[in-house]
Amino acid sequence: MEENKKSSTFNVHKIALLGVLTAGAVVIAILESFIPSIGIPGIKLGLANIVILVTLYELGILDAIIVNLIRVVVVGLVRGTFMSYGFLMSLSGAFLSLLVMIIFYLLIRKFSIIGVSVLGALAHVIGQILVAMIYLGTSYVVLYLPVIGLSAIITGVFVGLVSSAIIHTDVIKKQRERYHY
C-alpha cells in the first residue's frame, strides 16, 4: 500500500512538471506570434522548441512527443487556427522536426544539442514547405527553402544554445532525483 502511494505521488510530480513545460511552450509560442516578421513571411525564432529540446533530453521521447503535440493543438485552439492551413503547417513542421531530433538524439549520438536543434529547425521548415506545396498545388514554393533554411540554421543554433544552458542548470535533473521519475 505504501509503495503504491509513493508511486502515484511520483507520477503526480512528473505530470505537474509536464504541465508546466507544456504551459511554458504554449505561452512562448503565443508570445512569439506577436513578434513581427523581419520582412520575410514564415520566419520565426522557434523559441517553443527550447522547451521541446529540454523535455527530450531531460525526460525522454514520449514526454517530448506529448508536450509538443499538446502545444501545437492548444496554440491552434487559442489562436483560433485549429485545423486551418496555418495549423497544418505548424503540425507538420513540429512533427517532422521532433522526428528528426529524436533520430539524431537517440540513434546518431554524434551530434550536440545544438546540432540536433539545427537539424530539427531545418526539418520544421521542410515540413512546412511540403504542406505549402500540397496546399498551393505548386512546387515553386521550394524556391523559398534557401531563405527560410538559412533562418532555421541561425535560430536552431540559438535555440540549441539556450536549451543547453537550461539543461546545465540541472533543474529538471534535481526534480527527477528528488521525486524518483
Side-chain angles (χ1 to χ4, degrees):
M1 176 79 166
E2 185 64 32
E3 185 61 38
N4 286 342
K5 184 177 180 184
K6 283 183 182 179
S7 179
S8 67
T9 302
F10 301 142
N11 289 335
V12 168
H13 288 285
K14 185 174 182 181
I15 290 168
L17 177 59
L18 288 172
V20 168
L21 289 168
T22 303
V26 167
V27 168
I28 291 168
I30 290 171
L31 289 176
E32 186 178 354
S33 71
F34 292 111
I35 297 173
S37 164
I38 58 170
I40 303 169
I43 292 182
K44 289 186 174 187
L45 297 173
L47 298 177
N49 271 339
I50 294 168
V51 176
I52 304 307
L53 270 171
V54 169
T55 304
L56 176 63
Y57 275 76
E58 292 292 287
L59 297 174
I61 294 169
L62 182 60
D63 294 327
I65 291 169
I66 291 167
V67 170
N68 204 25
L69 181 60
I70 293 173
R71 172 190 61 92
V72 172
V73 170
V74 170
V75 169
L77 290 169
V78 168
R79 294 188 69 219
T81 61
F82 186 69
M83 298 309 290
S84 69
Y85 167 67
F87 173 80
L88 295 176
M89 286 188 71
S90 178
L91 183 63
S92 65
F95 171 78
L96 194 55
S97 172
L98 186 56
L99 178 64
V100 166
M101 289 192 298
I102 289 168
I103 289 169
F104 282 90
Y105 162 73
L106 187 63
L107 301 177
I108 307 170
R109 295 187 177 263
K110 295 181 182 186
F111 286 83
S112 68
I113 191 169
I114 296 166
V116 170
S117 176
V118 167
L119 292 168
L122 286 168
H124 187 91
V125 298
I126 289 169
Q128 290 183 319
I129 292 289
L130 291 172
V131 169
M133 286 170 54
I134 293 167
Y135 183 77
L136 298 173
T138 179
S139 61
Y140 287 115
V141 180
V142 88
L143 296 174
Y144 191 50
L145 196 54
V147 173
I148 201 164
L150 178 61
S151 166
I153 291 169
I154 294 167
T155 59
V157 168
F158 176 75
V159 165
L161 286 169
V162 173
S163 300
S164 179
I166 291 170
I167 289 169
H168 281 88
T169 65
D170 290 334
V171 171
I172 293 177
K173 180 180 176 187
K174 290 174 186 173
Q175 291 295 308
R176 284 191 354 251
E177 290 170 355
R178 180 174 182 186
Y179 296 110
H180 308 288
Y181 56 81

